[in-house]
Amino acid sequence: DGGITQSPKYLFRKEGQNVTLSCEQNLNHDAMYWYRQDPGQGLRLIYYSQIVNDFQKGDIAEGYSVSREKKESFPLTVTSAQKNPTAFYLCASSIVGTPGELFFGEGSRLTVL
Amino acid sequence: AQKVTQAQTEISVVEKEDVTLDCVYETRDTTYYLFWYKQPPSGELVFLIRRNSFDEQNEISGRYSWNFQKSTSSFNFTITASQVVDSAVYFCALRRTDSWGKLQFGAGTQVVVTP
């Protein structure tokens, strides 16, 4: 079945450690996104990529990094510079030109201890 | 600046009742797109509908209906004869003009349907 796979579903990390969240899609979509969800705040855009080897900062990119070396993969690294990394992270993809119809993964919940 | 407001944090209904979710948006653009997404307990958001600013016709899909009123900048969503499976968080979103794929989400409304 086509879809987006995020891993791990749950992750615990100590303060000061970097952690990488995986996102893989087999929908053949050109565009991919990372959103952060906090209780009562909706989703906020971290990074997005419209094409391989290119990505752009979203609204809350500080303390995060991404790469897009393959069309199907868009990993997100939460660095130790991120002040409040405990959150639910959602990866999404879309067809270029489809105005906003996003397909989402099931998310990764990161807890910093 | 663009903004989406979902003033209802949580709505609780008994099965078979109707429930209406409010969405009010702000934008200076004359052309824009509005969306509704559903987030069930499993976590992934599911696309429900897209509406462009030129199309004010209301839409019905099964038990779901949407009322778009440009004059009041609202895009409300009604679930008729609610079911337990409708329990989820529902997000309204506005497409941002600087990128076709970037969405501005509201805070979401939790719908709880009890048998």
Side-chain angles (χ1 to χ4, degrees):
Chain A
D1 283 357
I4 297 179
T5 301
Q6 290 187 240
S7 62
K9 284 184 80 74
Y10 300 94
L11 187 60
F12 298 88
R13 158 198 127 171
K14 294 181 181 178
E15 279 193 29
Q17 290 181 335
N18 292 353
V19 61
T20 297
L21 307 180
S22 169
C23 178
E24 302 279 331
Q25 56 103 353
N26 60 5
L27 299 168
N28 201 32
H29 288 171
D30 286 304
M32 297 187 74
Y33 314 79
W34 275 104
Y35 282 90
R36 170 179 170 144
Q37 183 177 11
D38 295 282
Q41 292 193 43
L43 279 71
R44 292 179 290 168
L45 183 64
I46 305 172
Y47 268 98
Y48 66 103
S49 167
Q50 299 182 13
I51 195 170
V52 174
N53 292 322
D54 185 54
F55 49 82
Q56 307 294 328
K57 293 182 179 179
D59 300 317
I60 55 166
E62 185 176 348
Y64 299 99
S65 66
V66 294
S67 63
R68 187 86 188 276
E69 297 175 1
K70 297 186 296 182
K71 185 176 183 177
E72 59 271 21
S73 178
F74 192 41
L76 173 75
T77 296
V78 184
T79 75
S80 56
Q82 168 50 231
K83 298 275 187 273
N84 185 19
T86 295
F88 189 54
Y89 292 90
L90 285 154
C91 179
S93 69
S94 73
I95 298 171
V96 171
T98 303
E101 183 174 341
L102 304 181
F103 293 78
F104 283 85
E106 291 192 340
S108 293
R109 187 168 299 279
L110 172 63
T111 303
V112 174
L113 304 172
Chain B
Q2 298 182 312
K3 186 178 178 183
V4 176
T5 301
Q6 294 181 256
Q8 304 150 308
T9 304
E10 181 171 329
I11 301 175
S12 293
V13 297
V14 176
E15 211 169 16
K16 296 184 183 175
E17 288 182 342
D18 298 348
V19 56
T20 295
L21 311 181
D22 298 332
C23 174
V24 175
Y25 61 93
E26 295 174 28
T27 181
R28 293 179 184 164
D29 299 324
T30 54
T31 303
Y32 50 88
Y33 291 86
L34 295 161
F35 303 81
W36 276 95
Y37 281 82
K38 173 182 179 180
Q39 185 179 37
S42 55
E44 83 283 12
L45 274 75
V46 178
F47 167 82
L48 295 179
I49 190 172
R50 176 181 68 240
R51 173 65 74 229
N52 76 51
S53 54
F54 292 121
D55 182 4
E56 289 196 67
Q57 194 169 8
N58 291 332
E59 180 156 342
I60 298 174
S61 176
R63 296 183 296 105
Y64 294 170
S65 62
W66 291 270
N67 181 8
F68 176 35
Q69 293 197 338
K70 214 167 173 179
S71 59
T72 56
S73 296
S74 66
F75 186 42
N76 296 338
F77 172 32
T78 296
I79 304 172
T80 302
S82 60
Q83 300 176 2
V84 173
V85 293
D86 296 326
S87 296
V89 181
Y90 292 86
F91 291 95
C92 181
L94 173 67
R95 191 197 81 163
R96 291 158 54 161
T97 54
D98 54 343
S99 170
W100 38 260
K102 291 164 63 177
L103 300 184
Q104 184 73 42
F105 283 88
T109 298
Q110 171 87 55
V111 173
V112 178
V113 182
T114 53

